[in-house]
Amino acid sequence: MLRLSKSCIGANEKQAVLRVLNNEYLGMGAEVERFEQALADFFGREVVCVCNGTAALQLALQGVNVGAGAEVLVQSLTYLASFQSISATGAKPVACDINPETLTINLDDAERRLTEKTKAIMPVHYAGGAVGLDSVYDFAERHRLRVVEDAAHAFGSAYCGKKVGAIGDVSCFSFDGIKNITSGEGGCIVSDDAELLAKVRDARLLGVKNDTISRFQGRRSWDFDVDGQGWRYHMSDVMAAIGLEQLNRFPEFSEKRRGLARLYDKLLEDVHFLTPLKHDYSEVVPHIYVVKVGASHDRDKLRSQLENQNIQTGIHYKPNHQLSYYRDMTIDFPVTEREYLRLLTLPLHPDLSEDDVHMICSVLKLLE
Ligand SMILES: *Cc1c(COP(=O)(O)O)cnc(C)c1O
């Protein structure tokens, strides 16, 4: 079976984990400090690591004072984690429609859903592209909103020549097993806002104030104060050790992902019932490779035909406004509902070969 996505783990990651196990200090310590430093060098900004991308989003929102009574604009077509991170703060995720070409938040639609309570907007860098980021920031400035970017797909991508995370208000990344780099599970918050970062550092360790420095030295504070709600959302040294090795391999991973996506683009020009989601791969490091299925074909039938040929596919994503917990029928979602039924994600990960992509595209050609 050609897998849709997978973790790509080499000898260095395995050795790094063993090294940490041999230390017999598995919590948040020196490895997390090193990983945060390496990421800070990567982004040119301070970074706080946490246990996963969802926790990063939740803590970032809380760090900019989004909580009960607030509303956050977010596209309905995103991973459930975007929505859950907002509702975890007590705030309400306000589902918005998307632009059909880019599958990113439609700001005209978002404007219709603004209320007095709207405090933030969460753009999702779908598939890895931070498309239209400037207009999101213009919109946020006009309406006095904070911007918490769900950059889970966009590790290593650039926008107008600058790294996602190196620009903007707050960016949150995920290092879960299938993301552009992994630390097993994991995530991080990147920002220039020192006050936000201080809050997030405390909140990840039960709200204990200024505990991070002690932890990095293998100690902890015994006499401490807490002035707000915190969680056990810190990253462990085992995770950070994997993340450090993956970061070293990122140049190799990003070239591989870009090359495979370019190859798909080229070979699918001959498969007329499919329209790839277009990106500029000199900027974007693709996390997923998404195509739209033409009206001549049934998306779900196509998926099972591919499955029969041992090609695993995915659907990114079921719209969140269709879930019982987040159901919202106050204003409709014509573009999201139409595009959702056409979306299909083809295999993409650094262990996929060019031959695999040729094979997948020739199977698709035969199904035309
Ligand atoms: C992966 C992902 C997240 C959450 O990250 P986790 O590390 O899995 O918690 C959030 N948003 C999007 C769009 C994602 O793909």
Side-chain angles (χ1 to χ4, degrees), residues 243-261:
L244 275 161
E245 296 301 336
Q246 289 263 306
L247 186 58
N248 285 335
R249 293 177 65 192
F250 181 67
E252 165 207 331
F253 289 158
S254 59
E255 279 322 292
K256 192 70 194 280
R257 285 180 176 275
R258 286 169 159 160
L260 294 173

Side-chain angles (χ1 to χ4, degrees), residues 4-5 54 57 74-83 96 98 102-104 124-128 150-154 174 176 178-180 277 287-291 299-300 303 314-323 335-345:
L4 174 63
S5 51
T54 313
L57 289 166
V74 60
Q75 64 188 67
S76 183
L77 189 85
T78 181
Y79 185 40
L80 173 60
S82 316
F83 273 65
C96 299
I98 46 168
T102 59
L103 309 181
T104 51
V124 178
H125 303 328
Y126 186 91
D150 182 341
H153 289 192
S174 164
D176 83 25
I178 59 165
K179 292 288 165 42
N180 288 0
L277 181 68
H287 166 56
I288 50 178
Y289 189 84
V290 176
V291 297
R299 190 264 319 265
D300 294 329
R303 286 196 73 207
I315 301 170
H316 293 87
Y317 294 95
K318 176 161 183 177
N320 284 275
H321 75 271
Q322 296 180 355
L323 307 173
V335 182
T336 302
E337 293 189 349
R338 186 187 70 221
E339 298 303 323
Y340 162 56
L341 298 174
R342 305 175 57 194
L343 294 178
L344 180 72
T345 307

Side-chain angles (χ1 to χ4, degrees), residues 98-159:
I98 46 168
N99 300 308
E101 294 302 319
T102 59
L103 309 181
T104 51
I105 190 166
N106 181 308
L107 295 171
D108 294 330
D109 183 73
E111 187 142 12
R112 285 195 285 277
R113 300 179 200 256
L114 277 168
T115 73
E116 305 273 85
K117 297 177 183 165
T118 313
K119 292 287 181 289
I121 181 169
M122 181 185 286
V124 178
H125 303 328
Y126 186 91
V131 192
L133 198 56
D134 276 345
S135 32
V136 171
Y137 276 93
D138 287 346
F139 179 92
E141 201 175 305
R142 243 181 310 130
H143 300 292
R144 299 169 179 280
L145 307 178
R146 293 298 295 253
V147 181
V148 174
E149 297 176 29
D150 182 341
H153 289 192
F155 186 86
S157 284
Y159 178 74

